[in-house]
Amino acid sequence: MNTYCNPLDLPYRYQHMNEQGRRYAFREGADPTLVYFKGTYYLFVSMSAGFFYSDDLLGWRFHADPDLMIYDYAPDVRQVGEYLYFCASSRSKDCPILRSADPLHEKFEQVAAPFPFWDPDLFLDDDGRLYFYWGCTNTEPIWGVELDRETLEPIGEKTALIHGDPEHLGYERPGENGVVDKESSVMYRSLAPLFDPETKTLKLPAGVTDLGGYPVEALTKIFLAVGQPYLEGAYMTKHGGKYYLQYACPGTQYNTYADGVYVGGSPLGPFTRQAANPFSAVTGGFITGAGHGSTVADRHGNFWHATTMRISVNHDFERRVGLFPAGFDADGVLYCNQNFASYPHRIPAGRFDPAAWQPEWMLLSYAKPAFASSTAAGSDPALAVDENIRTWWSAADAFPGQWLAVDLGRVMDVRAVQVNLADQDVAVEFPLEAYGDDRRTRHIELEPQISRYTLEISADGEAWHALETVARECSNGYYEYETGVTARYVRVVGVALPYGQPLRIAGLRVFGNGGRAKPAPAKAAAERVGELDAVVRWQPLSEMGAQGVNIRYGTAPDKLYLSHLVYGASEATLSTLVAGQTYYIAVDSFNENGVTPGTVFAL
């Protein structure tokens, strides 16, 4: 394997929930911290009951460690001297900080437990001083403090470093595509009748001092915070003598989930918001969201940003992990290259220019005819090729031999296939003691749940050749064929899926070389619709011979670091803009044969 494809092909663990008598399950992996430690890459991911490790950022192996505070979210790992330090989140106890000199062979041992925190990040500066960042609410800022190198206790008072500003920062607005919808909040709907707009307080009935154990002051604070962004996922990267404090917002369940960055001259600021913000955002395409991550250099000095991507169908926390080339430009601007975010990416063998990355292989399967052995009510084979991980085709039953196939229209040069499985209506009985979180509502499945299926190709739809016989823990299987295979039809045949589910596919994605003409250039225009949004329009795709467009935009003609991928439409809204900021835009057309760059123009 020389390439990977987002979401990463990792053995995401099932999370079984028992809430208010309802049992359901979903696969989850989020809040990734990536670190290069003693010649090995380590990837720590929430709710994994262990960690992943790799020699090359491509082949990830899983190391189980069910004793490593597996129910505490947002694991953070950093190298301090000869040790890898670990901590995770809890508001109910002083959070332990552990360390290991050899995580694959030695257990992590506790060295301190300074105070409760959520979404931690430990940072060792070049001068040997240690700093700590944390925060995850829609009512408080991102905090920072220096720690004593020996005791890991705070030195001095904590400092507020980043405050939310959704009135001026479009990417901080909670809601799908930046549309704030307070009415979708059960808390807001239940408390709204009690709110007095003149006093900005809740008026409880006479003699009532609290609701559900919450005093009126706390309830008022919660009510007023509805519609405010969650600021969380702090991460510090130092480069060129500057300190880049990253944070996530506005909420993991939105397509606009992103990472922003503030820059300072010292570890505790003051910090100034980078003009090019957010620096990580995937608002369109197959899987969206690119928040709560970590930015680190590989063994060659290339930077990568590992991040959280959302599905959020069975549960808001149904998520996956993405990895993107990142870098700092000549002006010290931190950026990610997230063009065609879920297309195959190559891991270079040495230094490379992350800003210049473009897909080598294009998508051959989008909106192509799809057909199946059977189809459950409410699903359709077309949903497996619509480039939306949140929709899926399902077989009518779980008997072995159910299949889904896509017709590419002609024999093509296939270089990679991604098989994205979906979960639906999973409900498994566990004894109460199996639920390991503080509220006894969550159980992480420690036993591997194997997916068994075959991946097949055909030139005529009659004679089939097996490419892969899969029997492993995988929900987003990625299979590379570097030298290419020729096929018109690609088929997945189910054998057995976790918990006896039918074969369900959210994305049968085939990549390769179409071998024909690229599309004509897009003729595009854009207009600002308010301070925080812009509408971009282009001619019908049929006139260009295009599948869609990739909108690149940014703060200067040579800094088009943000992108928004669109299929099957002639307009799109950009909702991540900053008030008062001038933007430049290019609309690139693309099809299965390649990308045609658009002309840069000012918005």
Side-chain angles (χ1 to χ4, degrees):
M1 295 280 288
N2 296 299
T3 61
Y4 69 92
C5 191
N6 291 318
L8 292 186
D9 184 357
L10 299 174
Y12 301 99
R13 289 301 175 91
Y14 277 95
Q15 315 299 311
H16 296 272
M17 307 300 293
N18 182 13
E19 296 181 308
Q20 298 178 339
R22 180 190 170 212
R23 295 177 186 262
Y24 60 100
F26 54 93
R27 280 180 268 210
E28 178 180 10
D31 317 319
T33 299
L34 177 65
V35 64
Y36 183 59
F37 178 66
K38 296 183 179 180
T40 298
Y41 298 100
Y42 292 89
L43 183 64
F44 283 70
V45 177
S46 287
M47 302 295 114
S48 294
F51 56 85
F52 306 96
Y53 63 102
S54 173
D55 297 325
D56 55 10
L57 293 175
L58 286 167
W60 291 99
R61 288 160 285 180
F62 180 67
H63 178 85
D65 192 344
D67 298 324
L68 197 59
M69 296 181 294
I70 62 176
Y71 287 96
D72 293 351
Y73 267 105
D76 174 71
V77 285
R78 290 281 193 156
Q79 181 171 359
V80 179
E82 292 300 308
Y83 293 94
L84 195 64
Y85 277 64
F86 171 96
C87 58
S89 308
S90 177
R91 293 190 177 97
S92 62
K93 64 178 184 291
D94 290 343
C95 294
I97 298 178
L98 302 85
R99 71 181 187 182
S100 173
D102 184 358
L104 291 175
H105 302 99
E106 297 178 3
K107 286 290 186 181
F108 282 85
E109 295 182 346
Q110 182 172 326
V111 292
F115 58 92
F117 48 72
W118 201 277
D119 284 10
D121 179 50
L122 190 67
F123 170 70
L124 180 67
D125 204 355
D126 299 334
D127 60 5
R129 296 171 69 178
L130 198 62
Y131 298 87
F132 192 72
Y133 309 93
W134 76 99
C136 179
T137 75
N138 61 346
T139 60
E140 295 186 1
I142 297 294
W143 301 98
V145 72
E146 185 176 357
L147 297 183
D148 182 276
R149 179 74 179 264
E150 298 300 323
T151 66
L152 302 183
E153 291 292 332
I155 299 175
E157 296 296 320
K158 65 182 181 181
T159 302
L161 302 177
I162 298 176
H163 294 269
D165 187 13
E167 300 298 322
H168 299 94
L169 307 179
Y171 65 92
E172 285 193 352
R173 293 173 297 173
E176 198 73 1
N177 294 311
V179 177
V180 180
D181 180 17
K182 292 185 179 182
E183 294 298 327
S184 66
S185 167
V186 174
M187 176 70 75
Y188 184 87
R189 293 199 307 270
S190 62
L191 295 179
L194 304 176
F195 183 68
D196 183 344
E198 292 186 5
T199 62
K200 296 188 181 302
T201 60
L202 296 174
K203 297 294 187 181
L204 300 185
V208 178
T209 59
D210 67 83
L211 288 176
Y214 286 94
V216 64
E217 291 183 3
L219 283 172
T220 301
K221 187 177 182 180
I222 293 171
F223 177 81
L224 292 174
V226 173
Q228 295 299 306
Y230 268 78
L231 302 188
E232 38 109 340
Y235 191 86
M236 175 63 80
T237 302
K238 187 177 183 181
H239 178 75
K242 296 180 180 179
Y243 298 84
Y244 293 78
L245 180 57
Q246 301 142 61
Y247 73 108
C249 62
T252 194
Q253 69 270 41
Y254 305 124
N255 70 314
T256 53
Y257 194 41
D259 280 331
V261 61
Y262 282 65
V263 186
S266 66
L268 294 178
F271 291 96
T272 301
R273 177 176 48 81
Q274 179 177 280
N277 251 319
F279 80 93
S280 171
V282 177
T283 52
F286 176 64
I287 181 169
T288 58
H292 196 139
S294 51
T295 307
V296 300
D298 66 16
R299 60 165 54 96
H300 306 294
N302 304 306
F303 280 90
W304 298 90
H305 186 61
T307 187
T308 305
M309 308 191 79
R310 71 98 189 233
I311 297 176
S312 300
V313 174
N314 294 291
H315 188 280
D316 281 353
F317 284 2
E318 184 181 20
R319 299 171 293 177
R320 300 291 188 265
V321 176
L323 182 66
F324 300 98
F328 298 85
D329 69 15
D331 297 317
V333 174
L334 172 61
Y335 67 91
C336 280
N337 187 335
Q338 292 167 325
N339 296 297
F340 298 91
S342 296
Y343 282 43
H345 286 61
R346 185 175 297 276
I347 297 287
R351 293 298 298 269
F352 75 105
D353 179 6
W357 180 88
Q358 284 287 340
E360 299 176 41
W361 306 326
M362 302 305 293
L363 186 65
L364 308 180
S365 51
Y366 170 66
K368 294 295 180 67
F371 45 99
S373 55
S374 68
T375 298
S379 72
D380 188 280
L383 297 176
V385 291
D386 65 352
E387 280 302 280
N388 183 356
I389 199 170
R390 290 160 58 86
T391 64
W392 54 78
W393 160 85
S394 176
D397 58 52
F399 288 111
Q402 297 278 19
W403 53 264
L404 173 80
V406 60
D407 179 1
L408 304 180
R410 55 188 171 86
V411 172
M412 288 192 173
D413 176 21
V414 173
R415 298 301 177 101
V417 178
Q418 188 187 47
V419 179
N420 296 273
L421 302 177
D423 295 300
Q424 179 181 325
D425 299 329
V426 178
V428 182
E429 296 285 339
F430 290 99
L432 182 61
E433 57 269 20
Y435 292 86
D437 64 334
D438 291 340
R439 297 184 299 140
R440 292 292 183 184
T441 59
R442 179 189 292 266
H443 169 64
I444 299 176
E445 177 61 86
L446 299 180
E447 294 298 321
Q449 296 302 306
I450 306 301
S451 295
R452 292 179 170 83
Y453 59 84
T454 61
L455 177 62
E456 304 173 345
I457 58 172
S458 173
D460 57 9
E462 295 183 4
W464 293 89
H465 169 65
L467 285 180
E468 307 285 343
T469 299
V470 178
R472 61 188 179 92
E473 202 172 13
C474 67
S475 57
N476 306 92
Y478 176 67
Y479 310 100
E480 175 197 297
Y481 310 102
E482 177 75 24
T483 58
V485 295
T486 56
R488 173 172 174 172
Y489 300 91
V490 178
R491 183 171 73 176
V492 178
V493 181
V495 178
L497 283 302
Y499 306 114
Q501 292 188 83
L503 180 64
R504 295 188 174 107
I505 297 180
L508 175 52
R509 309 177 72 222
V510 183
F511 298 94
N513 302 306
R516 293 185 177 177
K518 296 179 182 180
K523 300 173 183 177
E527 62 175 328
R528 204 91 173 225
V529 287
E531 284 290 299
L532 309 182
D533 302 279
V535 174
V536 187
R537 299 182 177 90
W538 52 92
Q539 76 267 41
L541 298 175
S542 58
E543 295 181 7
M544 294 184 279
Q547 290 177 332
V549 303
N550 184 46
I551 305 168
R552 294 180 291 123
Y553 60 107
T555 57
D558 61 343
K559 298 183 189 298
L560 306 185
Y561 296 142
L562 287 164
S563 60
H564 182 78
L565 195 63
V566 184
Y567 289 91
S570 56
E571 70 172 53
T573 298
L574 306 179
S575 61
T576 63
L577 307 187
V578 173
Q581 175 71 57
T582 298
Y583 285 89
Y584 297 83
I585 295 177
V587 178
D588 303 340
S589 58
F590 67 89
N591 60 18
E592 57 196 24
N593 309 303
V595 182
T596 301
T599 301
V600 179
F601 61 93
L603 174 61

